[in-house]
Amino acid sequence: MLKQITLGETKLVLRSEGSPAPVGFSISSASQNCEGFSAQEFVRDNGHGVLLPWIAKLTAGRGFIDKSVAPAQPVQVRAYSNWSSATGTGAPGSVVSVAGGRCGPLVLKFTPAPNRNYLARLSYPGDQCSLAIMDATDPDAPTPVDAEALNCPVP
């Protein structure tokens, strides 16, 4: 995914790590902050290394989205997730506990350079979530990119 650079192309890979909750990503190249986002596309971390293997297989989904972006033009990346889970049998007279949460929207704006690969990664360190943009042209040594955090409304 990150090891393939086509000359003249700038790629942005959108990925979630650390939770099997679906994450909606959208991008915008609009000049106005928080405007012009594409329709959300969803990815989900398959949970390998976090979940039991059989659960990871059941929750498997699209692990990443690969997009071409225009170099030297600012790009806004928005990530948003909400989830719920239930415990209990749901049998008559039993108690079902429902818990949920939300992450985002988190929005970062950066300007990609030509012929580079970037990774926008929503991760769940501890009880929080965070969005980071990395230059992943060298996938074995991704480096953080200077990105501006935007305060955008919930989609």
Side-chain angles (χ1 to χ4, degrees):
M1 126 184 98
L2 293 173
K3 294 192 182 220
Q4 303 166 357
I5 299 174
T6 303
L7 209 50
E9 188 172 60
T10 301
K11 286 187 180 181
L12 175 63
V13 173
L14 308 169
R15 186 171 76 195
S16 171
E17 291 180 357
S19 173
V23 175
F25 276 102
S26 52
I27 60 175
S28 171
S29 57
S31 59
Q32 183 75 6
N33 287 348
C34 303
E35 297 290 327
F37 285 99
S38 61
Q40 283 190 349
E41 295 185 68
F42 289 88
V43 299
R44 121 183 358 219
D45 182 344
N46 291 336
H48 296 287
V50 177
L51 300 173
L52 294 171
W54 68 272
I55 296 174
K57 188 174 183 176
L58 287 175
T59 63
R62 192 163 148 192
F64 68 92
I65 300 169
D66 183 349
K67 296 283 190 183
S68 291
V69 293
Q73 294 182 13
V75 174
Q76 300 172 64
V77 178
R78 178 174 66 193
Y80 181 80
S81 181
N82 59 26
W83 61 90
S84 64
S85 60
T87 57
T89 63
S94 69
V95 176
V96 175
S97 173
V98 178
R102 181 176 87 188
C103 171
L106 300 175
V107 183
L108 293 177
K109 182 178 180 179
F110 77 108
T111 302
N115 300 317
R116 308 297 290 180
N117 278 345
Y118 294 93
L119 171 64
R121 179 179 62 210
L122 184 76
S123 60
Y124 297 85
D127 293 338
Q128 300 179 19
C129 63
S130 66
L131 179 63
I133 307 287
M134 309 290 283
D135 183 328
T137 304
D138 178 356
D140 296 325
T143 57
V145 169
D146 188 26
E148 175 188 1
L150 302 176
N151 188 13
C152 299
V154 175

